């Protein structure tokens, strides 16, 4: 089964490059330290923008997308509408999403959530990006970064490209149907 997912991930890379023409492989540049495909996604507990807590294990048994982002990040702001679109399309099909913000300012974070219409759970350490435990644990050195976790808790995809996430979610939901 894992071999099949690895083939899917390789196919996603090739498909994303074909869809956009020949382009620089941004994952080869920015996603090399992200948590590895096939590894168990580390659990975490972080603060929510409302002051509560969110624990990843609360979504145990579900396929999910973890979106590492920040309100101050230009690439994240550019990608936000696509992630909201993916959420709108795939959440009704059983895919969960969680945003992990690298913001230090809760008000700026909340404003971006409202501005982009983000409806999926959000969490943060509210510390500088490079100082966060979550960035170290998941190997996040660039944002936006995205990690797709299977229902078995294992990483299916680690990428900086939302198009790859969309392609994988499309394939996963076709398999379910």
């Amino acid at each position: 089964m894992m071999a099949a997912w690895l083939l899917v991930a390789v196919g996603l890379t090739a498909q994303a490059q074909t869809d956009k023409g020949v382009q620089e492989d941004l994952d080869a540049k920015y996603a090399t330290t992200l948590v590895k495909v096939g590894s168990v996604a580390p659990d975490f507990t972080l603060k929510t923008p409302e002051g509560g807590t969110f624990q990843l294990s609360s979504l145990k048994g579900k396929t999910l997308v973890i979106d590492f982002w920040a309100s101050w990040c230009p690439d994240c702001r550019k990608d936000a509408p696509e992630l909201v679109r993916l959420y709108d399309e795939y959440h009704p099909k059983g895919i969960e999403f969680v945003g992990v913000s690298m913001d230090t300012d809760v008000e700026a974070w909340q404003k971006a959530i409202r501005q982009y219409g983000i409806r999926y759970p959000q969490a943060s350490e509210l510390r500088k990006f490079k100082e966060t435990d979550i960035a170290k644990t998941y190997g996040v050195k660039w944002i936006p970064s995205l990690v797709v976790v299977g229902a078995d808790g294992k990483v299916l995809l680690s990428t900086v490209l939302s198009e790859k996430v969309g392609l994988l979610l499309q394939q996963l939901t076709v398999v379910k149907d």
Side-chain angles (χ1 to χ4, degrees), residues 53-147:
T53 59
F54 171 84
Q55 187 166 11
L56 185 67
S57 59
S58 69
L59 299 175
K60 186 177 181 175
K62 300 184 183 240
T63 300
L64 66 120
V65 176
I66 306 172
D67 170 26
F68 294 91
W69 73 291
S71 66
W72 49 260
C73 164
D75 289 336
C76 301
R77 291 191 309 263
K78 185 173 79 175
D79 217 25
E82 176 61 9
L83 286 164
V84 168
R85 186 195 71 75
L86 290 172
Y87 173 79
D88 288 345
E89 182 174 349
Y90 292 103
H91 185 256
K93 297 177 181 181
I95 307 294
E96 297 292 336
F97 285 66
V98 62
V100 175
S101 173
M102 299 300 170
D103 280 285
T104 58
D105 179 342
V106 72
E107 290 169 7
W109 179 29
Q110 290 172 326
K111 180 181 175 187
I113 291 167
R114 286 189 306 274
Q115 179 181 353
Y116 294 107
I118 299 171
R119 291 176 302 286
Y120 46 92
Q122 295 289 309
S124 180
E125 288 181 45
L126 293 172
R127 294 176 32 206
K128 291 183 179 180
F129 174 23
K130 303 293 183 182
E131 296 173 4
T132 63
D133 293 331
I134 192 73
K136 292 172 188 158
T137 300
Y138 274 80
V140 177
K141 297 198 186 278
W142 177 267
I143 52 175
S145 285
L146 301 147
V147 175

Side-chain angles (χ1 to χ4, degrees), residues 153-175:
K154 292 186 180 175
V155 174
L156 300 176
L157 177 67
S158 290
T159 185
V160 297
L161 300 168
S162 59
E163 332 43 88
K164 288 185 181 181
V165 172
L167 289 168
L168 178 58
L169 295 180
Q170 181 181 22
Q171 292 176 356
L172 290 174
T173 54
V174 166
V175 169

Side-chain angles (χ1 to χ4, degrees), residues 20-37:
K20 300 260 182 184
V22 177
Q23 69 178 20
E24 178 183 15
D25 183 358
L26 296 177
D27 278 348
K29 191 172 185 179
Y30 299 116
T32 58
T33 60
L34 284 172
V35 64
K36 300 300 176 210
V37 170

